[in-house]
Amino acid sequence: MLIVQKFHSIHEIDPEFIPNIEVLLQEDVASFATLVQRHDGAPEGNVFTYFLFFGPTQNAPIGFAQLCLKPVPAHDLLPWHKRLAFWDKSHQHWKQVTWEIGDGSSGMCVFDPRFARSGRDKIQELIKEYEARPDVVGEELYCIKGLQDFHLSMTNEIKWSKEIFVLEPLSKAFKNYQDYLGSLVPDVRKQIKESWKELHKNSEIELGDYPSPLDTPKTLPIPAEQLEVWAKWGAQVLTFEKDLQVLGCLLVLKGKNGNIFFEPFPFEPEGEVLVDDELYTQYALLKFFEMPDARKCHLMKFGSKLVFEEREDLKFFQSQGFQLKTVVRQFQSRLKELEQPL
């Protein structure tokens, strides 16, 4: 039997639990700070609940889940004749419950594998609890296909589902970057090598590597406040530089147990690009293979994993060794006017 502890703000979670949460989410986020940033930057009106799960003999969390209650814009959904019933105020409190960790690319929950079955049962109980609330008129789940199987059971529901494709990490299966390049198919390997050659010989672009964001060139077009936040996270920064100008950079975050997260920030104007998109990925991999404790290389965008609506769009990354997973968005609604999730 699992014990559940609820928190209605991420800032209420006991600091002693944070290291264990980071281990549970080690392949999803670089640090707990990522979740805090998403919580603090959420749209006004969104209310979060965080669930920590404990085993009968554990003092540390063995599972983590998250939901968000979003206000439903009833005035935009109600037909005119229902809006005339001014005495009925129930629609002012309508909510959609969305079960997702972070942006949903990690699914709706994570458990220590030893507690996967009991964790699944407990989550299903919580789903039913929220379905019973009169103010909840819609619910949305993000489930990892093949790993998370949860059911919605609203009555008179509108049903909607969609698959999205999440870029998964590249594992360190080779001793060095050269061996990694040698493992790629000839066409991809040739293209990458030619891009590096063009970068160094013809464009005369230099690679920068800064242990702290505060050590980066003054010409880096990132606000000082953001650099200070990165520094607090223990980040480092990789750059592409030419003639004292920074053409782009990569944020590098070291997560738990060898999980390394890279996020590219290109600064060149569209149509005048000297650094191809693929070189941001390759510079990340070059650095990744140089890091002795690194095990998995993750790519991010806007602080989250890369998500695609079409499977074909991942081929570029798959050809370079990255994996993918499928996340299913499920949605049900009690309102015929609310046909898709907010």
Side-chain angles (χ1 to χ4, degrees), residues 213-229:
L214 303 180
D215 297 332
T216 52
K218 300 298 183 184
T219 54
L220 181 71
I222 297 287
E225 296 81 6
Q226 186 62 57
L227 293 176
E228 290 176 2
V229 171

PDB file of all heavy atoms in Angstrom, residues 213-229:
ATOM      1  N   PRO A 213      28.418  30.241 -17.225  1.00  0.00           N
ATOM      2  CA  PRO A 213      27.770  31.245 -18.080  1.00  0.00           C
ATOM      3  C   PRO A 213      28.285  32.659 -17.823  1.00  0.00           C
ATOM      4  O   PRO A 213      28.226  33.517 -18.713  1.00  0.00           O
ATOM      5  CB  PRO A 213      26.292  31.121 -17.701  1.00  0.00           C
ATOM      6  CG  PRO A 213      26.146  29.734 -17.191  1.00  0.00           C
ATOM      7  CD  PRO A 213      27.430  29.441 -16.475  1.00  0.00           C
ATOM      8  N   LEU A 214      28.792  32.909 -16.620  1.00  0.00           N
ATOM      9  CA  LEU A 214      29.290  34.250 -16.285  1.00  0.00           C
ATOM     10  C   LEU A 214      30.636  34.537 -16.926  1.00  0.00           C
ATOM     11  O   LEU A 214      31.108  35.676 -16.893  1.00  0.00           O
ATOM     12  CB  LEU A 214      29.380  34.403 -14.766  1.00  0.00           C
ATOM     13  CG  LEU A 214      28.070  34.158 -13.993  1.00  0.00           C
ATOM     14  CD1 LEU A 214      28.291  34.349 -12.508  1.00  0.00           C
ATOM     15  CD2 LEU A 214      26.962  35.082 -14.495  1.00  0.00           C
ATOM     16  N   ASP A 215      31.277  33.505 -17.508  1.00  0.00           N
ATOM     17  CA  ASP A 215      32.567  33.682 -18.179  1.00  0.00           C
ATOM     18  C   ASP A 215      32.433  33.897 -19.679  1.00  0.00           C
ATOM     19  O   ASP A 215      33.435  34.068 -20.370  1.00  0.00           O
ATOM     20  CB  ASP A 215      33.454  32.446 -17.937  1.00  0.00           C
ATOM     21  CG  ASP A 215      33.778  32.241 -16.467  1.00  0.00           C
ATOM     22  OD1 ASP A 215      33.799  33.240 -15.732  1.00  0.00           O
ATOM     23  OD2 ASP A 215      33.994  31.079 -16.067  1.00  0.00           O
ATOM     24  N   THR A 216      31.214  33.867 -20.196  1.00  0.00           N
ATOM     25  CA  THR A 216      30.997  33.963 -21.640  1.00  0.00           C
ATOM     26  C   THR A 216      31.304  35.373 -22.149  1.00  0.00           C
ATOM     27  O   THR A 216      31.312  36.338 -21.377  1.00  0.00           O
ATOM     28  CB  THR A 216      29.539  33.608 -21.983  1.00  0.00           C
ATOM     29  OG1 THR A 216      28.648  34.390 -21.174  1.00  0.00           O
ATOM     30  CG2 THR A 216      29.274  32.134 -21.728  1.00  0.00           C
ATOM     31  N   PRO A 217      31.558  35.520 -23.466  1.00  0.00           N
ATOM     32  CA  PRO A 217      31.859  36.840 -24.034  1.00  0.00           C
ATOM     33  C   PRO A 217      30.731  37.841 -23.796  1.00  0.00           C
ATOM     34  O   PRO A 217      29.552  37.472 -23.732  1.00  0.00           O
ATOM     35  CB  PRO A 217      32.023  36.548 -25.528  1.00  0.00           C
ATOM     36  CG  PRO A 217      32.345  35.101 -25.612  1.00  0.00           C
ATOM     37  CD  PRO A 217      31.626  34.447 -24.477  1.00  0.00           C
ATOM     38  N   LYS A 218      31.097  39.091 -23.686  1.00  0.00           N
ATOM     39  CA  LYS A 218      30.110  40.150 -23.469  1.00  0.00           C
ATOM     40  C   LYS A 218      29.155  40.286 -24.642  1.00  0.00           C
ATOM     41  O   LYS A 218      28.058  40.852 -24.512  1.00  0.00           O
ATOM     42  CB  LYS A 218      30.816  41.483 -23.215  1.00  0.00           C
ATOM     43  CG  LYS A 218      31.747  41.480 -21.995  1.00  0.00           C
ATOM     44  CD  LYS A 218      30.996  41.201 -20.713  1.00  0.00           C
ATOM     45  CE  LYS A 218      31.933  41.275 -19.510  1.00  0.00           C
ATOM     46  NZ  LYS A 218      31.218  40.906 -18.241  1.00  0.00           N
ATOM     47  N   THR A 219      29.566  39.779 -25.804  1.00  0.00           N
ATOM     48  CA  THR A 219      28.728  39.887 -26.998  1.00  0.00           C
ATOM     49  C   THR A 219      27.667  38.792 -27.077  1.00  0.00           C
ATOM     50  O   THR A 219      26.866  38.777 -28.020  1.00  0.00           O
ATOM     51  CB  THR A 219      29.605  39.815 -28.260  1.00  0.00           C
ATOM     52  OG1 THR A 219      30.414  38.626 -28.207  1.00  0.00           O
ATOM     53  CG2 THR A 219      30.504  41.034 -28.368  1.00  0.00           C
ATOM     54  N   LEU A 220      27.649  37.869 -26.110  1.00  0.00           N
ATOM     55  CA  LEU A 220      26.625  36.831 -26.098  1.00  0.00           C
ATOM     56  C   LEU A 220      25.256  37.481 -25.861  1.00  0.00           C
ATOM     57  O   LEU A 220      25.035  38.101 -24.820  1.00  0.00           O
ATOM     58  CB  LEU A 220      26.919  35.813 -24.990  1.00  0.00           C
ATOM     59  CG  LEU A 220      25.931  34.652 -24.865  1.00  0.00           C
ATOM     60  CD1 LEU A 220      26.080  33.686 -26.029  1.00  0.00           C
ATOM     61  CD2 LEU A 220      26.122  33.914 -23.540  1.00  0.00           C
ATOM     62  N   PRO A 221      24.313  37.361 -26.810  1.00  0.00           N
ATOM     63  CA  PRO A 221      23.026  38.066 -26.685  1.00  0.00           C
ATOM     64  C   PRO A 221      22.027  37.353 -25.773  1.00  0.00           C
ATOM     65  O   PRO A 221      20.898  37.055 -26.158  1.00  0.00           O
ATOM     66  CB  PRO A 221      22.530  38.121 -28.135  1.00  0.00           C
ATOM     67  CG  PRO A 221      23.131  36.927 -28.776  1.00  0.00           C
ATOM     68  CD  PRO A 221      24.460  36.704 -28.113  1.00  0.00           C
ATOM     69  N   ILE A 222      22.449  37.093 -24.549  1.00  0.00           N
ATOM     70  CA  ILE A 222      21.590  36.506 -23.525  1.00  0.00           C
ATOM     71  C   ILE A 222      21.562  37.488 -22.358  1.00  0.00           C
ATOM     72  O   ILE A 222      22.611  37.945 -21.907  1.00  0.00           O
ATOM     73  CB  ILE A 222      22.134  35.144 -23.047  1.00  0.00           C
ATOM     74  CG1 ILE A 222      22.145  34.120 -24.189  1.00  0.00           C
ATOM     75  CG2 ILE A 222      21.315  34.616 -21.866  1.00  0.00           C
ATOM     76  CD1 ILE A 222      20.787  33.598 -24.590  1.00  0.00           C
ATOM     77  N   PRO A 223      20.374  37.851 -21.838  1.00  0.00           N
ATOM     78  CA  PRO A 223      20.305  38.806 -20.728  1.00  0.00           C
ATOM     79  C   PRO A 223      21.125  38.346 -19.530  1.00  0.00           C
ATOM     80  O   PRO A 223      21.206  37.150 -19.226  1.00  0.00           O
ATOM     81  CB  PRO A 223      18.805  38.844 -20.390  1.00  0.00           C
ATOM     82  CG  PRO A 223      18.118  38.391 -21.636  1.00  0.00           C
ATOM     83  CD  PRO A 223      19.030  37.409 -22.280  1.00  0.00           C
ATOM     84  N   ALA A 224      21.728  39.322 -18.845  1.00  0.00           N
ATOM     85  CA  ALA A 224      22.559  39.017 -17.684  1.00  0.00           C
ATOM     86  C   ALA A 224      21.782  38.257 -16.618  1.00  0.00           C
ATOM     87  O   ALA A 224      22.321  37.358 -15.954  1.00  0.00           O
ATOM     88  CB  ALA A 224      23.135  40.309 -17.107  1.00  0.00           C
ATOM     89  N   GLU A 225      20.506  38.587 -16.472  1.00  0.00           N
ATOM     90  CA  GLU A 225      19.689  37.904 -15.468  1.00  0.00           C
ATOM     91  C   GLU A 225      19.556  36.418 -15.774  1.00  0.00           C
ATOM     92  O   GLU A 225      19.593  35.576 -14.873  1.00  0.00           O
ATOM     93  CB  GLU A 225      18.290  38.533 -15.395  1.00  0.00           C
ATOM     94  CG  GLU A 225      18.262  39.981 -14.934  1.00  0.00           C
ATOM     95  CD  GLU A 225      18.603  40.958 -16.062  1.00  0.00           C
ATOM     96  OE1 GLU A 225      18.751  40.502 -17.229  1.00  0.00           O
ATOM     97  OE2 GLU A 225      18.742  42.163 -15.781  1.00  0.00           O
ATOM     98  N   GLN A 226      19.426  36.099 -17.076  1.00  0.00           N
ATOM     99  CA  GLN A 226      19.311  34.693 -17.468  1.00  0.00           C
ATOM    100  C   GLN A 226      20.631  33.964 -17.258  1.00  0.00           C
ATOM    101  O   GLN A 226      20.647  32.804 -16.831  1.00  0.00           O
ATOM    102  CB  GLN A 226      18.890  34.594 -18.934  1.00  0.00           C
ATOM    103  CG  GLN A 226      18.604  33.167 -19.387  1.00  0.00           C
ATOM    104  CD  GLN A 226      17.456  32.528 -18.628  1.00  0.00           C
ATOM    105  OE1 GLN A 226      16.338  33.052 -18.611  1.00  0.00           O
ATOM    106  NE2 GLN A 226      17.713  31.400 -17.983  1.00  0.00           N
ATOM    107  N   LEU A 227      21.732  34.636 -17.546  1.00  0.00           N
ATOM    108  CA  LEU A 227      23.042  34.023 -17.325  1.00  0.00           C
ATOM    109  C   LEU A 227      23.249  33.704 -15.845  1.00  0.00           C
ATOM    110  O   LEU A 227      23.838  32.670 -15.496  1.00  0.00           O
ATOM    111  CB  LEU A 227      24.153  34.948 -17.824  1.00  0.00           C
ATOM    112  CG  LEU A 227      24.212  35.169 -19.345  1.00  0.00           C
ATOM    113  CD1 LEU A 227      25.302  36.192 -19.677  1.00  0.00           C
ATOM    114  CD2 LEU A 227      24.472  33.856 -20.072  1.00  0.00           C
ATOM    115  N   GLU A 228      22.765  34.573 -14.984  1.00  0.00           N
ATOM    116  CA  GLU A 228      22.885  34.328 -13.545  1.00  0.00           C
ATOM    117  C   GLU A 228      22.052  33.112 -13.123  1.00  0.00           C
ATOM    118  O   GLU A 228      22.483  32.330 -12.270  1.00  0.00           O
ATOM    119  CB  GLU A 228      22.453  35.574 -12.775  1.00  0.00           C
ATOM    120  CG  GLU A 228      23.432  36.743 -12.917  1.00  0.00           C
ATOM    121  CD  GLU A 228      22.940  37.996 -12.216  1.00  0.00           C
ATOM    122  OE1 GLU A 228      21.858  37.936 -11.592  1.00  0.00           O
ATOM    123  OE2 GLU A 228      23.634  39.027 -12.286  1.00  0.00           O
ATOM    124  N   VAL A 229      20.865  32.968 -13.733  1.00  0.00           N
ATOM    125  CA  VAL A 229      20.039  31.790 -13.435  1.00  0.00           C
ATOM    126  C   VAL A 229      20.758  30.522 -13.885  1.00  0.00           C
ATOM    127  O   VAL A 229      20.821  29.526 -13.152  1.00  0.00           O
ATOM    128  CB  VAL A 229      18.663  31.905 -14.128  1.00  0.00           C
ATOM    129  CG1 VAL A 229      17.888  30.594 -14.008  1.00  0.00           C
ATOM    130  CG2 VAL A 229      17.857  33.042 -13.523  1.00  0.00           C
TER     131      VAL A 229
END
